[in-house]
Amino acid sequence: MKHLLTTVILLVTLSVVIAMLADRDSIKNPKDYRESYIINDDENKTVKHHYGDTLYQYDGKTVIYDYFGGDDEYISSLTHSNIITYRDTIALDTCVVNGNGWYHAAGEILKFSIGVDTVYYNFKHLPKSVAPELELMPTVFKEHFYAHTFALSDSSWNCDFKFRVYLPDRIPAWTKQFIATMIHNDLQGLFMDNKGADKILKEYYGIKTRPKKINGIDASSKSPRQIAGHFAKEHERLYRKEYCASENMGPKYDYMFEMFPAWQSSDGKFITYRFYTYYYTMGMHGFMEEYYLTFNNVTGHLLGFDDLFRKRDFKQVVEMVSKEITKYKRNYGFDTMWSAWIKKDELSSNATSIIKEVRHDTLYYPRPALTNRGVVFSYQPYEIAAFSEGVRHFVIPYNQLKLKINSRY
C-alpha cells in the first residue's frame, strides 16, 4: 500500500520530535519507560505499550507523560495526552491533559506554558484532569465544543475536525463572524493552497456591523456549534471531492481550531483572544499556529500598531522587539542583530493578513496584542526559528511602553 512507508516514517519521526520537545531537565528513568513491553497474563501474549517521557520519580513511583491518550492511535495535537503515575508497570493514577501547550518538569513541579503564560502543578498531587487555559481566563466564559471524524473506508485513515472555543454568555455577532472567517480561510489553505485567502480575510473588515454570508451561511445568526458543524461538513466535502474519485484510502487530514480569552479590560470594551490552530496532512509533522488578537469588544475592530501606539513610537517599539529576538537567538549561537519584520516570502501563517501588519508593502510585523504580562508579538514556526522551537512569543512589559489604551482598564 503506497502510504505504508509514509506511515512508518511518520510514527518514528513523531516519536522522536515530540520527545525532543520535552524539557531537557526532565528526569530520565534508567529503566527507559519511554518504550517498553508488558506481559498480559490473561491472554498470555506480549503487548507493546508507549509510555512517553519520564518526568518525575518519588517514593518508588514514576510519573510519565503519555502521548497516546486519545482514541486515535497516531500522535497529534488533536488527541488528549495523559500524565500517568506508575509503580513498576502498574498505573496508579491518570491525569488527562486538556488543551495544547509546552510542558516542563522542574523537580516536583510541572510547568505548562500556554502562550505567554505558565500554569504550575505538583506531580505528587495531580488532579484527575488539567486544563491550563481555564485557569488563565480573565472571567467566566462558556465552552463550545464540536468534533467530527470521518474515513473513506474501514481501512482508511480517520480524518478529524475539532473545535473548542470559550466565549461570554452573550456572544457579539462580530465574534461569530470572525470565527467563521478564520475557519473558512484555514480550510481554503488546507485544500486549495490558499487560493483566494486574502479576499476571505479582507471580508472580515466589512462584516463587523452588517451581517454577511461566509461560505454560504450567516454566521451572526448561528451558534458556535452550528458554525463548527457547518465547517466540519465542509472539511469532509472538500476531502471527499479531492480523494473519493481516485482511491478508497486518502491521506490523513486533521484540522483543529481553538480560541480562548487571554485578557479583558475591566469595562469590557477591549478583549484579547488566544488562537491555536493545527493542521496535519501526512507530512513529517503537523503544523500549528498560535497568536493573540485584541479587539474592540463592541464593534469588533481588530486593534493594531496605530491603535495601541503613537505613530512616532513605531520605530522604538519594533526596535525593542528586535532586541528581544536577538537575545533569544544568541542562546542558539547567533551573534547578529535580528529584525522584527519578516519578508513576504518568509511568512508561514495561513492567516497572514489578519495576524500580521504590512509596512512599506514588503515588511510584515506581528500584530501587537494586550495580555496580562504586557504587549505580545508572535512569530509562527519557521518565521524566525526552526519548527522544533515552536511558536515564539515576545512580550514587552507595559512599564517600558507608552500606550494609547490604558492596559489597567
PDB file of all heavy atoms in Angstrom, residues 263-289:
ATOM      1  N   TRP A 263      -7.148  38.178  27.929  1.00  0.00           N
ATOM      2  CA  TRP A 263      -7.126  39.451  28.654  1.00  0.00           C
ATOM      3  C   TRP A 263      -8.400  40.198  28.333  1.00  0.00           C
ATOM      4  O   TRP A 263      -8.940  40.091  27.231  1.00  0.00           O
ATOM      5  CB  TRP A 263      -5.920  40.282  28.228  1.00  0.00           C
ATOM      6  CG  TRP A 263      -5.882  41.679  28.818  1.00  0.00           C
ATOM      7  CD1 TRP A 263      -5.347  42.046  30.003  1.00  0.00           C
ATOM      8  CD2 TRP A 263      -6.436  42.870  28.226  1.00  0.00           C
ATOM      9  NE1 TRP A 263      -5.522  43.404  30.194  1.00  0.00           N
ATOM     10  CE2 TRP A 263      -6.178  43.928  29.115  1.00  0.00           C
ATOM     11  CE3 TRP A 263      -7.105  43.135  27.022  1.00  0.00           C
ATOM     12  CZ2 TRP A 263      -6.577  45.241  28.849  1.00  0.00           C
ATOM     13  CZ3 TRP A 263      -7.513  44.444  26.752  1.00  0.00           C
ATOM     14  CH2 TRP A 263      -7.237  45.479  27.666  1.00  0.00           C
ATOM     15  N   GLN A 264      -8.902  40.935  29.312  1.00  0.00           N
ATOM     16  CA  GLN A 264     -10.094  41.749  29.091  1.00  0.00           C
ATOM     17  C   GLN A 264     -10.009  43.002  29.927  1.00  0.00           C
ATOM     18  O   GLN A 264      -9.576  42.961  31.089  1.00  0.00           O
ATOM     19  CB  GLN A 264     -11.354  40.953  29.448  1.00  0.00           C
ATOM     20  CG  GLN A 264     -12.649  41.659  29.090  1.00  0.00           C
ATOM     21  CD  GLN A 264     -13.875  40.806  29.376  1.00  0.00           C
ATOM     22  OE1 GLN A 264     -13.900  40.029  30.331  1.00  0.00           O
ATOM     23  NE2 GLN A 264     -14.895  40.912  28.546  1.00  0.00           N
ATOM     24  N   SER A 265     -10.396  44.126  29.360  1.00  0.00           N
ATOM     25  CA  SER A 265     -10.413  45.367  30.131  1.00  0.00           C
ATOM     26  C   SER A 265     -11.531  45.307  31.160  1.00  0.00           C
ATOM     27  O   SER A 265     -12.525  44.593  30.981  1.00  0.00           O
ATOM     28  CB  SER A 265     -10.608  46.571  29.198  1.00  0.00           C
ATOM     29  OG  SER A 265     -11.846  46.478  28.520  1.00  0.00           O
ATOM     30  N   SER A 266     -11.367  46.032  32.232  1.00  0.00           N
ATOM     31  CA  SER A 266     -12.331  45.955  33.338  1.00  0.00           C
ATOM     32  C   SER A 266     -13.724  46.431  32.926  1.00  0.00           C
ATOM     33  O   SER A 266     -14.725  46.000  33.496  1.00  0.00           O
ATOM     34  CB  SER A 266     -11.828  46.781  34.528  1.00  0.00           C
ATOM     35  OG  SER A 266     -11.653  48.134  34.145  1.00  0.00           O
ATOM     36  N   ASP A 267     -13.791  47.310  31.920  1.00  0.00           N
ATOM     37  CA  ASP A 267     -15.100  47.783  31.468  1.00  0.00           C
ATOM     38  C   ASP A 267     -15.660  46.940  30.324  1.00  0.00           C
ATOM     39  O   ASP A 267     -16.753  47.220  29.818  1.00  0.00           O
ATOM     40  CB  ASP A 267     -15.016  49.257  31.031  1.00  0.00           C
ATOM     41  CG  ASP A 267     -14.089  49.473  29.846  1.00  0.00           C
ATOM     42  OD1 ASP A 267     -13.472  48.486  29.385  1.00  0.00           O
ATOM     43  OD2 ASP A 267     -13.960  50.623  29.398  1.00  0.00           O
ATOM     44  N   GLY A 268     -14.913  45.903  29.923  1.00  0.00           N
ATOM     45  CA  GLY A 268     -15.385  45.005  28.879  1.00  0.00           C
ATOM     46  C   GLY A 268     -15.275  45.549  27.474  1.00  0.00           C
ATOM     47  O   GLY A 268     -15.687  44.888  26.515  1.00  0.00           O
ATOM     48  N   LYS A 269     -14.688  46.746  27.286  1.00  0.00           N
ATOM     49  CA  LYS A 269     -14.629  47.359  25.956  1.00  0.00           C
ATOM     50  C   LYS A 269     -13.630  46.659  25.045  1.00  0.00           C
ATOM     51  O   LYS A 269     -13.842  46.559  23.843  1.00  0.00           O
ATOM     52  CB  LYS A 269     -14.278  48.841  26.076  1.00  0.00           C
ATOM     53  CG  LYS A 269     -14.281  49.566  24.740  1.00  0.00           C
ATOM     54  CD  LYS A 269     -13.998  51.054  24.898  1.00  0.00           C
ATOM     55  CE  LYS A 269     -14.008  51.749  23.533  1.00  0.00           C
ATOM     56  NZ  LYS A 269     -13.709  53.192  23.661  1.00  0.00           N
ATOM     57  N   PHE A 270     -12.529  46.171  25.630  1.00  0.00           N
ATOM     58  CA  PHE A 270     -11.495  45.513  24.837  1.00  0.00           C
ATOM     59  C   PHE A 270     -11.273  44.093  25.343  1.00  0.00           C
ATOM     60  O   PHE A 270     -11.367  43.830  26.544  1.00  0.00           O
ATOM     61  CB  PHE A 270     -10.175  46.292  24.902  1.00  0.00           C
ATOM     62  CG  PHE A 270     -10.274  47.700  24.386  1.00  0.00           C
ATOM     63  CD1 PHE A 270     -10.345  48.781  25.262  1.00  0.00           C
ATOM     64  CD2 PHE A 270     -10.311  47.948  23.024  1.00  0.00           C
ATOM     65  CE1 PHE A 270     -10.451  50.075  24.799  1.00  0.00           C
ATOM     66  CE2 PHE A 270     -10.414  49.244  22.535  1.00  0.00           C
ATOM     67  CZ  PHE A 270     -10.478  50.306  23.425  1.00  0.00           C
ATOM     68  N   ILE A 271     -10.983  43.205  24.403  1.00  0.00           N
ATOM     69  CA  ILE A 271     -10.724  41.812  24.786  1.00  0.00           C
ATOM     70  C   ILE A 271      -9.650  41.227  23.875  1.00  0.00           C
ATOM     71  O   ILE A 271      -9.577  41.547  22.682  1.00  0.00           O
ATOM     72  CB  ILE A 271     -12.015  40.965  24.696  1.00  0.00           C
ATOM     73  CG1 ILE A 271     -11.781  39.570  25.280  1.00  0.00           C
ATOM     74  CG2 ILE A 271     -12.542  40.871  23.268  1.00  0.00           C
ATOM     75  CD1 ILE A 271     -13.063  38.787  25.532  1.00  0.00           C
ATOM     76  N   THR A 272      -8.794  40.391  24.458  1.00  0.00           N
ATOM     77  CA  THR A 272      -7.770  39.675  23.697  1.00  0.00           C
ATOM     78  C   THR A 272      -8.080  38.187  23.739  1.00  0.00           C
ATOM     79  O   THR A 272      -8.337  37.622  24.804  1.00  0.00           O
ATOM     80  CB  THR A 272      -6.365  39.906  24.289  1.00  0.00           C
ATOM     81  OG1 THR A 272      -6.043  41.293  24.199  1.00  0.00           O
ATOM     82  CG2 THR A 272      -5.311  39.091  23.540  1.00  0.00           C
ATOM     83  N   TYR A 273      -8.052  37.549  22.554  1.00  0.00           N
ATOM     84  CA  TYR A 273      -8.221  36.105  22.463  1.00  0.00           C
ATOM     85  C   TYR A 273      -6.907  35.475  22.004  1.00  0.00           C
ATOM     86  O   TYR A 273      -6.181  36.049  21.184  1.00  0.00           O
ATOM     87  CB  TYR A 273      -9.318  35.738  21.464  1.00  0.00           C
ATOM     88  CG  TYR A 273     -10.724  35.940  21.979  1.00  0.00           C
ATOM     89  CD1 TYR A 273     -11.470  37.058  21.598  1.00  0.00           C
ATOM     90  CD2 TYR A 273     -11.320  35.018  22.835  1.00  0.00           C
ATOM     91  CE1 TYR A 273     -12.758  37.244  22.063  1.00  0.00           C
ATOM     92  CE2 TYR A 273     -12.607  35.195  23.309  1.00  0.00           C
ATOM     93  CZ  TYR A 273     -13.324  36.311  22.916  1.00  0.00           C
ATOM     94  OH  TYR A 273     -14.617  36.485  23.388  1.00  0.00           O
ATOM     95  N   ARG A 274      -6.638  34.305  22.550  1.00  0.00           N
ATOM     96  CA  ARG A 274      -5.514  33.496  22.068  1.00  0.00           C
ATOM     97  C   ARG A 274      -6.080  32.434  21.139  1.00  0.00           C
ATOM     98  O   ARG A 274      -7.004  31.707  21.502  1.00  0.00           O
ATOM     99  CB  ARG A 274      -4.766  32.817  23.225  1.00  0.00           C
ATOM    100  CG  ARG A 274      -3.579  31.966  22.750  1.00  0.00           C
ATOM    101  CD  ARG A 274      -2.892  31.279  23.927  1.00  0.00           C
ATOM    102  NE  ARG A 274      -3.718  30.240  24.510  1.00  0.00           N
ATOM    103  CZ  ARG A 274      -3.774  28.983  24.077  1.00  0.00           C
ATOM    104  NH1 ARG A 274      -3.069  28.608  23.037  1.00  0.00           N
ATOM    105  NH2 ARG A 274      -4.554  28.102  24.678  1.00  0.00           N
ATOM    106  N   PHE A 275      -5.525  32.334  19.955  1.00  0.00           N
ATOM    107  CA  PHE A 275      -5.971  31.374  18.954  1.00  0.00           C
ATOM    108  C   PHE A 275      -4.902  30.294  18.790  1.00  0.00           C
ATOM    109  O   PHE A 275      -3.707  30.575  18.789  1.00  0.00           O
ATOM    110  CB  PHE A 275      -6.193  32.063  17.604  1.00  0.00           C
ATOM    111  CG  PHE A 275      -7.298  33.084  17.622  1.00  0.00           C
ATOM    112  CD1 PHE A 275      -7.046  34.383  18.055  1.00  0.00           C
ATOM    113  CD2 PHE A 275      -8.582  32.751  17.222  1.00  0.00           C
ATOM    114  CE1 PHE A 275      -8.057  35.335  18.080  1.00  0.00           C
ATOM    115  CE2 PHE A 275      -9.594  33.694  17.240  1.00  0.00           C
ATOM    116  CZ  PHE A 275      -9.326  34.991  17.674  1.00  0.00           C
ATOM    117  N   TYR A 276      -5.370  29.062  18.637  1.00  0.00           N
ATOM    118  CA  TYR A 276      -4.467  27.948  18.350  1.00  0.00           C
ATOM    119  C   TYR A 276      -5.109  27.114  17.255  1.00  0.00           C
ATOM    120  O   TYR A 276      -6.245  26.644  17.406  1.00  0.00           O
ATOM    121  CB  TYR A 276      -4.233  27.086  19.593  1.00  0.00           C
ATOM    122  CG  TYR A 276      -3.240  25.958  19.372  1.00  0.00           C
ATOM    123  CD1 TYR A 276      -1.884  26.141  19.638  1.00  0.00           C
ATOM    124  CD2 TYR A 276      -3.660  24.725  18.878  1.00  0.00           C
ATOM    125  CE1 TYR A 276      -0.971  25.106  19.423  1.00  0.00           C
ATOM    126  CE2 TYR A 276      -2.761  23.698  18.655  1.00  0.00           C
ATOM    127  CZ  TYR A 276      -1.420  23.899  18.932  1.00  0.00           C
ATOM    128  OH  TYR A 276      -0.506  22.891  18.710  1.00  0.00           O
ATOM    129  N   THR A 277      -4.412  26.956  16.139  1.00  0.00           N
ATOM    130  CA  THR A 277      -4.902  26.112  15.063  1.00  0.00           C
ATOM    131  C   THR A 277      -3.867  25.046  14.752  1.00  0.00           C
ATOM    132  O   THR A 277      -2.671  25.250  14.944  1.00  0.00           O
ATOM    133  CB  THR A 277      -5.203  26.922  13.787  1.00  0.00           C
ATOM    134  OG1 THR A 277      -4.019  27.639  13.398  1.00  0.00           O
ATOM    135  CG2 THR A 277      -6.325  27.903  14.030  1.00  0.00           C
ATOM    136  N   TYR A 278      -4.355  23.915  14.274  1.00  0.00           N
ATOM    137  CA  TYR A 278      -3.470  22.791  13.964  1.00  0.00           C
ATOM    138  C   TYR A 278      -3.923  22.147  12.663  1.00  0.00           C
ATOM    139  O   TYR A 278      -5.112  21.933  12.438  1.00  0.00           O
ATOM    140  CB  TYR A 278      -3.511  21.757  15.097  1.00  0.00           C
ATOM    141  CG  TYR A 278      -2.686  20.520  14.826  1.00  0.00           C
ATOM    142  CD1 TYR A 278      -1.312  20.508  15.071  1.00  0.00           C
ATOM    143  CD2 TYR A 278      -3.280  19.362  14.316  1.00  0.00           C
ATOM    144  CE1 TYR A 278      -0.565  19.370  14.816  1.00  0.00           C
ATOM    145  CE2 TYR A 278      -2.533  18.229  14.064  1.00  0.00           C
ATOM    146  CZ  TYR A 278      -1.167  18.238  14.315  1.00  0.00           C
ATOM    147  OH  TYR A 278      -0.424  17.113  14.056  1.00  0.00           O
ATOM    148  N   TYR A 279      -2.944  21.861  11.804  1.00  0.00           N
ATOM    149  CA  TYR A 279      -3.208  21.217  10.517  1.00  0.00           C
ATOM    150  C   TYR A 279      -2.297  19.992  10.399  1.00  0.00           C
ATOM    151  O   TYR A 279      -1.124  20.046  10.755  1.00  0.00           O
ATOM    152  CB  TYR A 279      -2.877  22.144   9.345  1.00  0.00           C
ATOM    153  CG  TYR A 279      -3.322  23.581   9.508  1.00  0.00           C
ATOM    154  CD1 TYR A 279      -2.571  24.489  10.254  1.00  0.00           C
ATOM    155  CD2 TYR A 279      -4.484  24.045   8.888  1.00  0.00           C
ATOM    156  CE1 TYR A 279      -2.970  25.804  10.395  1.00  0.00           C
ATOM    157  CE2 TYR A 279      -4.886  25.362   9.018  1.00  0.00           C
ATOM    158  CZ  TYR A 279      -4.119  26.238   9.770  1.00  0.00           C
ATOM    159  OH  TYR A 279      -4.513  27.551   9.900  1.00  0.00           O
ATOM    160  N   TYR A 280      -2.847  18.922   9.872  1.00  0.00           N
ATOM    161  CA  TYR A 280      -2.000  17.750   9.618  1.00  0.00           C
ATOM    162  C   TYR A 280      -2.419  17.099   8.310  1.00  0.00           C
ATOM    163  O   TYR A 280      -3.594  16.781   8.113  1.00  0.00           O
ATOM    164  CB  TYR A 280      -2.105  16.725  10.756  1.00  0.00           C
ATOM    165  CG  TYR A 280      -1.219  15.527  10.497  1.00  0.00           C
ATOM    166  CD1 TYR A 280       0.166  15.686  10.408  1.00  0.00           C
ATOM    167  CD2 TYR A 280      -1.757  14.265  10.284  1.00  0.00           C
ATOM    168  CE1 TYR A 280       0.987  14.597  10.132  1.00  0.00           C
ATOM    169  CE2 TYR A 280      -0.944  13.177  10.018  1.00  0.00           C
ATOM    170  CZ  TYR A 280       0.424  13.361   9.937  1.00  0.00           C
ATOM    171  OH  TYR A 280       1.241  12.304   9.647  1.00  0.00           O
ATOM    172  N   THR A 281      -1.450  16.897   7.402  1.00  0.00           N
ATOM    173  CA  THR A 281      -1.751  16.341   6.080  1.00  0.00           C
ATOM    174  C   THR A 281      -0.739  15.272   5.686  1.00  0.00           C
ATOM    175  O   THR A 281      -0.317  15.215   4.537  1.00  0.00           O
ATOM    176  CB  THR A 281      -1.780  17.446   5.013  1.00  0.00           C
ATOM    177  OG1 THR A 281      -0.508  18.133   5.027  1.00  0.00           O
ATOM    178  CG2 THR A 281      -2.894  18.444   5.264  1.00  0.00           C
ATOM    179  N   MET A 282      -0.318  14.455   6.647  1.00  0.00           N
ATOM    180  CA  MET A 282       0.559  13.310   6.390  1.00  0.00           C
ATOM    181  C   MET A 282       2.008  13.704   6.110  1.00  0.00           C
ATOM    182  O   MET A 282       2.762  12.945   5.515  1.00  0.00           O
ATOM    183  CB  MET A 282       0.033  12.455   5.232  1.00  0.00           C
ATOM    184  CG  MET A 282      -1.254  11.738   5.519  1.00  0.00           C
ATOM    185  SD  MET A 282      -1.120  10.430   6.752  1.00  0.00           S
ATOM    186  CE  MET A 282      -0.205   9.191   5.881  1.00  0.00           C
ATOM    187  N   GLY A 283       2.429  14.862   6.536  1.00  0.00           N
ATOM    188  CA  GLY A 283       3.835  15.223   6.382  1.00  0.00           C
ATOM    189  C   GLY A 283       4.654  14.633   7.518  1.00  0.00           C
ATOM    190  O   GLY A 283       4.197  13.778   8.279  1.00  0.00           O
ATOM    191  N   MET A 284       5.877  15.110   7.667  1.00  0.00           N
ATOM    192  CA  MET A 284       6.733  14.632   8.747  1.00  0.00           C
ATOM    193  C   MET A 284       6.182  15.044  10.108  1.00  0.00           C
ATOM    194  O   MET A 284       6.462  14.431  11.117  1.00  0.00           O
ATOM    195  CB  MET A 284       8.155  15.179   8.565  1.00  0.00           C
ATOM    196  CG  MET A 284       8.832  14.689   7.284  1.00  0.00           C
ATOM    197  SD  MET A 284       9.033  12.903   7.250  1.00  0.00           S
ATOM    198  CE  MET A 284      10.374  12.697   8.408  1.00  0.00           C
ATOM    199  N   HIS A 285       5.423  16.116  10.124  1.00  0.00           N
ATOM    200  CA  HIS A 285       4.766  16.557  11.361  1.00  0.00           C
ATOM    201  C   HIS A 285       3.613  17.469  10.970  1.00  0.00           C
ATOM    202  O   HIS A 285       3.502  17.909   9.819  1.00  0.00           O
ATOM    203  CB  HIS A 285       5.752  17.287  12.286  1.00  0.00           C
ATOM    204  CG  HIS A 285       6.504  18.395  11.611  1.00  0.00           C
ATOM    205  ND1 HIS A 285       5.894  19.556  11.191  1.00  0.00           N
ATOM    206  CD2 HIS A 285       7.808  18.501  11.260  1.00  0.00           C
ATOM    207  CE1 HIS A 285       6.790  20.346  10.624  1.00  0.00           C
ATOM    208  NE2 HIS A 285       7.958  19.730  10.642  1.00  0.00           N
ATOM    209  N   GLY A 286       2.747  17.759  11.908  1.00  0.00           N
ATOM    210  CA  GLY A 286       1.681  18.711  11.663  1.00  0.00           C
ATOM    211  C   GLY A 286       2.224  20.129  11.719  1.00  0.00           C
ATOM    212  O   GLY A 286       3.420  20.351  11.912  1.00  0.00           O
ATOM    213  N   PHE A 287       1.344  21.086  11.546  1.00  0.00           N
ATOM    214  CA  PHE A 287       1.744  22.494  11.619  1.00  0.00           C
ATOM    215  C   PHE A 287       0.760  23.223  12.504  1.00  0.00           C
ATOM    216  O   PHE A 287      -0.460  23.089  12.353  1.00  0.00           O
ATOM    217  CB  PHE A 287       1.760  23.123  10.223  1.00  0.00           C
ATOM    218  CG  PHE A 287       2.218  24.553  10.224  1.00  0.00           C
ATOM    219  CD1 PHE A 287       3.567  24.855  10.316  1.00  0.00           C
ATOM    220  CD2 PHE A 287       1.297  25.590  10.163  1.00  0.00           C
ATOM    221  CE1 PHE A 287       4.004  26.166  10.334  1.00  0.00           C
ATOM    222  CE2 PHE A 287       1.722  26.911  10.183  1.00  0.00           C
ATOM    223  CZ  PHE A 287       3.083  27.199  10.258  1.00  0.00           C
ATOM    224  N   MET A 288       1.299  23.979  13.458  1.00  0.00           N
ATOM    225  CA  MET A 288       0.440  24.724  14.366  1.00  0.00           C
ATOM    226  C   MET A 288       0.643  26.223  14.195  1.00  0.00           C
ATOM    227  O   MET A 288       1.695  26.678  13.738  1.00  0.00           O
ATOM    228  CB  MET A 288       0.705  24.327  15.822  1.00  0.00           C
ATOM    229  CG  MET A 288       1.974  24.905  16.433  1.00  0.00           C
ATOM    230  SD  MET A 288       3.504  24.186  15.796  1.00  0.00           S
ATOM    231  CE  MET A 288       3.434  22.574  16.556  1.00  0.00           C
ATOM    232  N   GLU A 289      -0.381  26.978  14.551  1.00  0.00           N
ATOM    233  CA  GLU A 289      -0.286  28.433  14.643  1.00  0.00           C
ATOM    234  C   GLU A 289      -0.863  28.850  15.986  1.00  0.00           C
ATOM    235  O   GLU A 289      -1.884  28.315  16.424  1.00  0.00           O
ATOM    236  CB  GLU A 289      -1.083  29.111  13.526  1.00  0.00           C
ATOM    237  CG  GLU A 289      -0.535  28.865  12.129  1.00  0.00           C
ATOM    238  CD  GLU A 289      -1.450  29.384  11.038  1.00  0.00           C
ATOM    239  OE1 GLU A 289      -2.629  29.682  11.340  1.00  0.00           O
ATOM    240  OE2 GLU A 289      -0.990  29.454   9.898  1.00  0.00           O
TER     241      GLU A 289
END
